[in-house]
Amino acid sequence: MKVTAQVVTTPSVDTHGTTILISLETKRYLIGNAGEGLQRAMLQTKVKTAKVTDVFLTGTTEWKNVGGLLGLILTQADQEAAKKADYDTKRLEVIERVRAFAEGRGDGGTAPQIPELFEKKELNVHGNDNLMHTMGTTRSYVFRTSMTINFNEIKEDFVDKFLRVHPMKVYPEGFIVNPMDTIASTDLTGLYLSRGRKRSFDGHFKSPKTREQVLKSVVQDMFNSSWTMDSTMMEDEIPPHDDTPAVPAGPPKRVRAPWPASMIQRLPRSKPSPASLSYFVSLHPQRGRFLPEIAKSLGVQPGPDFRKLTEGQSVTTDSGRVVTPQECLEPQKPGKSIIILDIPDTSYVAPLLAREELQDDNIEATVYWMLGKGVASDERVWGKIKRWANTVNIVSSPELCPNSITLQGAAKAATRLNLLHPDHFPIPKYDTKPIMSPPEVPGTLYVARPQQQITILPKLSNDQLSLPLTLEDGNFDIEGVRTTVDPEYMKLAEQARQSVLQEEQTKGLEDLPGKEVEIITIGTGSAMPSKYRNVSATLLRIPGVGSILFDCGEGTLGQLSRLYGLDELQDVLRDIKCIYISHLHADHHLGTTAVLKAWYKAKHDGMPAPAIATPMMPYGLSHWKKYNGLLGEYSDVEDFGDSWIKFLATDQIRIGEGDTLQHLESLYRALSLSEIQTAKANHCIGASTCAFTFQDGFKFAYSGDTRPTQEFVRIGQGATLLLHEATFDDELSAEAVAKKHSTTSEAIKAGIDMGAKVLMLTHFSQRYPKLPVIAEEGHGAQKMKVALAFDMMRMKVGEIGRFEKFIPALRELYKDEGEEEDPVMIVEDPEQLKVKNKKSEGKKEKKDKKEKKEKEKEKQAKKESRKLESAERGLYEGEKAAPTHEPSSPTSPRKTLPGYF
């Protein structure tokens, strides 16, 4: 049996911590930190998650360690849902053939065998205190049933047929564990009790339970509920909620049931836990080698009896002799050990190294040291490594691992765009040298690097798996990328740069209000992170006023860090005065906690707001008051600055009344605003569009995710800058209707109807990397300038008209764009050239297959969209069609499930 341990991530601004993948022939285990950026890093390095059955989280339960877990789960769940849909379609085809055969309509022969029902994948997530509470805070916008997901705050050994995982929980020095701590109490304050009958759809939450039972039920119902779109319940059984209208007079009606987890009004209270988790992994002993000659000499015939002996079963020979496995197998080999030690800071060093499991100086193991900031300078760590002479040690820490490029596909794209204009398309900032080097120690010691793989069985070895776009020292190869750029693109890029130099500001935009306002498109992709585009986030920087962050998808903080560098980032964070969340799909807000925590540290040095009246920033805008409550629930687990935040509900801004509007005037003053307008988006429950008008006349309109709507056109009238989603190309209009997104032409038409001066398109589908078709001379009677957003692109409003000069070069750059897999070859020998030539020959065939597949998908999307056509006829018919039940709370029936869309 082959067993390997691979480093997936090391500390960098792209991925906070260290993650290890232990691979066996049929199973995989992910162990370590699951911070933001993990799934994108796994995509970059082609780490497959299909065989991952168990995730073991290390360290403390903080967002930096678990912030990427939800994205990873949602992506896997959606992939499983797609697999199931394909499987079920094929199964129905087989059933139809069986029916035809039974009715004599078949082609003769035997009837085909009907496949078994699709088997759900099961994923188990093991973690520390507060894991369930953290997951439970997402219950209003996370719901998946396509795979079975179990969460476990691990207390006992995990054992399967391959290995044993022994958890080692430690607390920092000086911390006294109180067995009566209220974290395990039965404080159920705020739990929902239904209006009338004391039951809910699945029969859960009939009466108060213990804290642990409630959290387990909530998380269970988020992923493993039997709820379906057809589930119903009586109207008076739906739990009360801030956004839920009162039950009308008269007998209650039967309505669609909300999914069970959303029926909890508030989770039981919790408190931060300083406990840190490490693991001692023991592979089970391996049977000895089978000795066939000895088996024959004992009278065993080759064949099935040989197999039984290797499987541990005794056999009886023809002479009646019973032969046991021990007689013809070499002695059993002891199992190998893998130790994962997560030390958040120096206060955990002594308690962890004092664990009984770690006292044998003669231990033979592969040891991964995940060291927090400052721990690499602690002599106690190196002293332990010196005493463990028989171990292989892999050390990962912020001081030993340079802040190198993890997401090399995105860096490659940025490097190529940088040739077009270095000011607008900066190269990500990174470091090539570590802060310190490890001391010399006897034995085997490696500094962790992504794609570093240790073979545990059958023979111990250290391998560095290939990293495309890197030099031998592991650093990103900028010059190597540049040398592979097509000469025609280089020529067109040079022409564009020269043209821009001749014209300081775009003609027609010189007198625009807000021409010095800078827009930075931090993430421009839809649904889920990809190699080349991160999910939604846009920073608007208003000189002399401050900054507003519009949406904040997973990895936003990492993108900002790559753009500005760690020193300048502190000033950028302190300048943020408002975060606007358009809706609660995960790709638009999962990065909020990390950004707020970094802002909190930069602005207030991590000190909570005083009780007396104080100017508090930033302001948070989102649809649901519930979202503010969810952030408050998470603040039970981690102090991320929640005490400094003022929250405004966008639906209250729209209707002009509500308790959160008390903060509106102070927001206007803080950002020199004259008005904020919001309108419902045609996308999902609670989604909104907005328009921010500043006192100098600059007006910014943002679509979020939406089908075109007249209300958005109304509030955005006369916008200086419109940022509009363009998820799908025009040829995929049916899919845009089905998924409630806009096409390129629809976004442009919205800008023309709005009278916008400048339009920037964003939120492009990750599956369709084609460059959208836009005119170079402007659109509409107003000759509206149009630009396409790229990750980390930065432009002042008065400069956006330059983009038309970049279009010829961009068309050349992306003319054959697809899912690029070609690494930059640093050294090209004949064998490598053969590989490249073979890839080139197969490129056209791959492209043809992809086009065929996309046509089939489009056909299916058109079929699905028929259900919505009556409500979507015409560009703006969404509001004119017959009303459909579109409730405004997470406890109400939904037409679109939450998560990544």
Side-chain angles (χ1 to χ4, degrees):
M1 179 174 69
K2 184 175 183 179
V3 180
T4 62
Q6 175 186 339
V7 176
V8 179
T9 65
T10 55
S12 73
V13 299
D14 299 317
T15 52
H16 165 77
T18 307
T19 314
I20 310 298
L21 181 72
I22 297 179
S23 299
L24 286 77
E25 292 171 359
T26 58
K27 285 190 75 172
R28 291 182 173 184
Y29 309 83
L30 206 59
I31 305 182
N33 306 139
E36 291 185 30
L38 174 60
Q39 66 163 321
R40 199 175 182 202
M42 294 177 76
L43 178 66
Q44 173 66 61
T45 53
K46 301 181 185 177
V47 173
K48 305 298 184 184
T49 59
K51 292 182 180 179
V52 173
T53 59
D54 291 270
V55 177
F56 294 89
L57 299 173
T58 63
T60 55
T61 301
E62 298 178 76
W63 194 259
K64 65 182 181 182
N65 294 332
V66 302
L69 183 62
L70 270 176
L72 188 68
I73 288 173
L74 290 172
T75 298
Q76 279 205 51
D78 291 344
Q79 289 172 346
E80 286 298 304
K83 287 180 186 177
K84 183 179 185 303
D86 290 342
Y87 184 91
D88 288 348
T89 298
K90 293 174 182 177
R91 186 171 183 273
L92 287 173
E93 291 173 354
V94 174
I95 291 174
E96 179 56 34
R97 291 202 300 272
V98 170
R99 183 179 292 113
F101 182 88
E103 296 173 355
R105 296 183 285 110
D107 298 327
T110 58
Q113 186 174 357
I114 299 176
E116 297 292 329
L117 291 172
F118 184 80
E119 184 177 353
K120 275 188 178 184
K121 177 181 176 179
E122 183 170 350
L123 179 68
N124 303 301
V125 181
H126 313 270
N128 212 334
D129 300 338
N130 285 325
L131 173 63
M132 305 270 255
H133 184 98
T134 300
M135 293 298 106
T137 62
T138 69
R139 65 193 178 281
S140 288
Y141 53 87
V142 172
F143 179 77
R144 291 293 188 276
T145 59
S146 54
M147 60 188 289
T148 300
I149 305 175
N150 303 308
F151 290 86
N152 170 36
E153 293 182 1
I154 190 166
K155 297 177 178 64
E156 300 176 349
D157 287 8
F158 166 88
V159 183
D160 66 11
K161 67 178 183 178
F162 296 107
L163 48 72
R164 174 186 296 272
V165 180
H166 173 65
M168 297 183 289
K169 182 186 289 188
V170 298
Y171 294 87
E173 287 180 286
F175 182 82
I176 299 175
V177 181
N178 181 1
M180 301 302 292
D181 199 307
T182 55
I183 195 170
S185 74
T186 56
D187 175 14
L188 305 179
T189 305
L191 282 181
Y192 135 73
L193 292 178
S194 66
R195 289 188 176 105
R197 304 176 178 92
K198 307 295 185 189
R199 63 183 178 85
S200 66
F201 161 65
D202 274 354
H204 294 305
F205 316 125
K206 295 178 185 176
S207 59
K209 302 180 179 183
T210 66
R211 173 184 178 276
E212 186 176 357
Q213 286 175 320
V214 170
L215 291 175
K216 188 171 184 179
S217 294
V218 169
V219 176
Q220 182 81 3
D221 283 331
M222 288 169 59
F223 299 101
N224 307 320
S225 173
S226 58
W227 180 93
T228 69
M229 295 289 279
D230 298 323
S231 301
T232 62
M233 65 189 302
M234 297 305 294
E235 200 170 33
D236 63 345
E237 293 175 7
I238 296 178
H241 186 274
D242 291 337
D243 294 329
T244 305
V247 177
K253 300 175 183 177
R254 182 163 288 278
V255 297
R256 179 183 292 164
W259 65 87
S262 68
M263 298 176 75
I264 287 292
Q265 184 99 319
R266 199 201 192 287
L267 296 180
R269 297 304 300 267
S270 188
K271 61 188 297 184
S273 170
S276 177
L277 262 182
S278 296
Y279 297 100
F280 197 118
V281 182
S282 304
L283 296 168
H284 294 323
Q286 302 295 302
R287 69 169 178 82
R289 186 169 61 91
F290 179 62
L291 304 172
E293 295 305 318
I294 292 180
K296 289 179 182 177
S297 69
L298 295 173
V300 180
Q301 297 296 319
D305 284 348
F306 272 23
R307 186 181 69 252
K308 289 179 180 179
L309 287 169
T310 61
E311 293 174 351
Q313 302 176 45
S314 298
V315 298
T316 303
T317 65
D318 293 341
S319 64
R321 187 184 189 286
V322 176
V323 179
T324 64
Q326 290 76 15
E327 294 179 271
C328 39
L329 289 173
E330 289 184 346
Q332 190 180 59
K333 299 176 183 177
K336 299 289 186 178
S337 298
I338 307 169
I339 305 174
I340 314 290
L341 302 177
D342 192 312
I343 309 178
D345 61 50
T346 54
S347 67
Y348 291 85
V349 174
L352 180 59
L353 297 187
R355 295 276 308 197
E356 183 180 353
E357 301 93 328
L358 307 179
Q359 298 314 302
D360 183 3
D361 288 346
N362 296 315
I363 190 172
E364 296 183 10
T366 301
V367 187
Y368 285 91
W369 299 81
M370 302 177 181
L371 309 182
K373 191 173 181 180
V375 182
S377 300
D378 196 306
E379 286 300 324
R380 292 172 294 181
V381 170
W382 302 110
K384 190 68 169 179
I385 291 176
K386 290 176 182 178
R387 290 194 296 275
W388 279 351
N390 298 323
T391 58
V392 175
N393 294 274
I394 302 94
V395 186
S396 178
S397 85
E399 291 86 3
L400 295 173
C401 302
N403 182 26
S404 55
I405 296 289
T406 303
L407 309 173
Q408 299 196 4
K412 175 184 177 182
T415 301
R416 296 190 304 179
L417 288 169
N418 180 261
L419 297 170
L420 186 58
H421 199 290
D423 294 337
H424 300 316
F425 305 101
I427 292 175
K429 290 180 169 57
Y430 63 97
D431 298 315
T432 59
K433 294 183 179 180
I435 296 173
M436 63 175 284
S437 299
E440 291 188 10
V441 296
T444 306
L445 174 68
Y446 303 106
V447 174
R449 290 173 55 186
Q451 291 288 79
Q452 181 186 62
Q453 180 174 284
I454 302 292
T455 299
I456 311 295
L457 287 174
K459 184 178 180 181
L460 191 69
S461 66
N462 176 39
D463 306 299
Q464 179 62 45
L465 302 180
S466 62
L467 268 172
L469 314 176
T470 57
L471 298 167
E472 290 183 5
D473 62 1
N475 294 321
F476 179 67
D477 183 24
I478 291 177
E479 293 306 317
V481 172
R482 286 174 172 164
T483 57
T484 61
V485 174
D486 186 271
E488 182 63 22
Y489 167 69
M490 294 285 287
K491 174 184 172 183
L492 293 171
E494 176 63 24
Q495 292 174 0
R497 284 197 306 274
Q498 293 302 319
S499 180
V500 167
L501 287 174
Q502 295 169 13
E503 190 176 319
E504 186 176 344
Q505 282 201 330
T506 307
K507 188 176 181 181
L509 301 184
E510 306 96 330
D511 301 324
L512 279 182
K515 65 182 180 182
E516 295 299 316
V517 172
E518 187 179 29
I519 182 170
I520 301 99
T521 49
I522 304 164
T524 59
S526 69
M528 64 190 73
S530 74
K531 284 171 63 177
Y532 305 109
R533 291 184 186 269
N534 200 45
V535 286
S536 294
T538 303
L539 186 68
L540 200 67
R541 304 191 74 183
I542 305 99
V545 173
S547 301
I548 306 174
L549 186 59
F550 289 88
D551 282 329
C552 189
E554 178 186 337
T556 295
L557 182 62
Q559 294 280 94
L560 286 170
S561 302
R562 285 290 180 216
L563 178 60
Y564 292 106
L566 294 177
D567 292 334
E568 188 180 352
L569 174 67
Q570 305 310 306
D571 293 331
V572 173
L573 289 169
R574 283 190 285 266
D575 199 45
I576 295 176
K577 293 186 177 180
C578 177
I579 299 177
Y580 170 89
I581 304 298
S582 63
H583 63 291
L584 294 190
H585 279 165
D587 59 321
H588 286 257
H589 73 94
L590 273 188
T592 307
T593 303
V595 169
L596 285 173
K597 182 71 179 281
W599 170 89
Y600 181 39
K601 184 177 180 182
K603 184 83 172 177
H604 300 288
D605 198 27
M607 298 299 292
I612 61 174
T614 310
M616 298 185 188
M617 296 176 186
Y619 295 83
L621 278 74
S622 180
H623 170 70
W624 288 320
K625 288 176 62 179
K626 179 84 170 179
Y627 186 51
N628 188 36
L630 298 176
L631 288 177
E633 286 183 347
Y634 182 71
S635 69
D636 280 359
V637 172
E638 179 182 4
D639 180 14
F640 59 89
D642 181 63
S643 60
W644 288 97
I645 301 166
K646 291 181 177 179
F647 183 83
L648 289 93
T650 54
D651 61 326
Q652 292 186 1
I653 294 174
R654 175 173 55 82
I655 64 176
E657 61 180 47
D659 57 343
T660 69
L661 297 188
Q662 61 181 308
H663 304 306
L664 194 57
E665 285 302 319
S666 58
L667 173 60
Y668 282 5
R669 288 193 300 271
L671 285 168
S672 297
L673 287 162
S674 60
E675 186 178 23
I676 296 177
Q677 298 166 279
T678 65
K680 285 185 177 181
N682 183 5
H683 180 62
C684 70
I685 296 166
S688 66
T689 61
C690 69
F692 283 57
T693 304
F694 295 80
Q695 292 175 6
D696 64 355
F698 173 67
K699 186 172 184 178
F700 176 76
Y702 176 49
S703 70
D705 287 5
T706 187
R707 292 286 301 141
T709 72
Q710 288 178 322
E711 274 300 291
F712 181 44
V713 168
R714 181 186 65 79
I715 67 170
Q717 276 300 311
T720 314
L721 171 61
L722 165 62
L723 181 67
H724 203 294
E725 71 124 298
T727 307
F728 293 104
D729 194 65
D730 293 342
E731 63 189 25
L732 296 167
S733 58
E735 192 160 355
V737 171
K739 297 188 176 180
K740 295 194 173 184
H741 284 292
S742 297
T743 65
T744 304
S745 292
E746 288 171 337
I748 291 173
K749 186 179 188 312
I752 293 171
D753 292 349
M754 197 179 285
K757 306 299 187 295
V758 178
L759 165 66
M760 186 172 286
L761 302 177
T762 189
H763 198 267
F764 302 109
S765 172
Q766 307 281 29
R767 294 177 295 154
Y768 310 109
K770 290 171 58 178
L771 192 71
V773 178
I774 59 174
E776 297 176 33
E777 297 80 21
H779 294 258
Q782 74 266 42
K783 293 296 180 182
M784 177 181 66
K785 301 296 183 181
V786 180
L788 306 176
F790 292 88
D791 276 23
M792 297 196 292
M793 184 178 82
R794 52 192 303 182
M795 279 187 170
K796 293 180 179 178
V797 171
E799 299 171 336
I800 293 178
R802 293 177 175 180
F803 197 89
E804 62 189 26
K805 302 180 186 302
F806 302 151
I807 293 175
L810 289 170
R811 284 176 180 158
E812 179 65 27
L813 180 62
Y814 290 100
K815 64 182 180 181
D816 296 320
E817 192 67 21
E819 294 184 9
E820 297 184 52
E821 301 294 346
D822 55 311
V824 175
M825 298 292 187
I826 305 304
V827 180
E828 290 191 339
D829 59 24
E831 290 303 314
Q832 288 176 320
L833 288 173
K834 286 180 183 178
V835 173
K836 289 183 71 177
N837 291 335
K838 187 175 181 180
K839 286 185 177 180
S840 179
E841 291 169 3
K843 195 170 183 179
K844 186 177 184 304
E845 182 181 353
K846 182 180 178 181
K847 185 178 179 182
D848 291 342
K849 287 182 179 179
K850 184 176 181 180
E851 287 178 354
K852 183 179 178 181
K853 188 175 181 180
E854 297 305 342
K855 285 180 180 179
E856 291 174 354
K857 285 184 178 179
E858 183 181 0
K859 184 178 178 181
Q860 181 65 24
K862 287 180 180 179
K863 184 178 179 181
E864 293 173 357
S865 70
R866 287 171 189 159
K867 299 176 183 177
L868 299 171
E869 284 179 353
S870 61
E872 298 285 357
R873 292 192 184 110
L875 192 57
Y876 298 121
E877 288 295 314
E879 286 113 347
K880 297 178 183 177
T884 57
H885 187 49
E886 185 79 355
S888 58
S889 88
T891 57
S892 303
R894 304 176 70 98
K895 290 194 283 186
T896 305
L897 292 180
Y900 275 146
F901 283 89

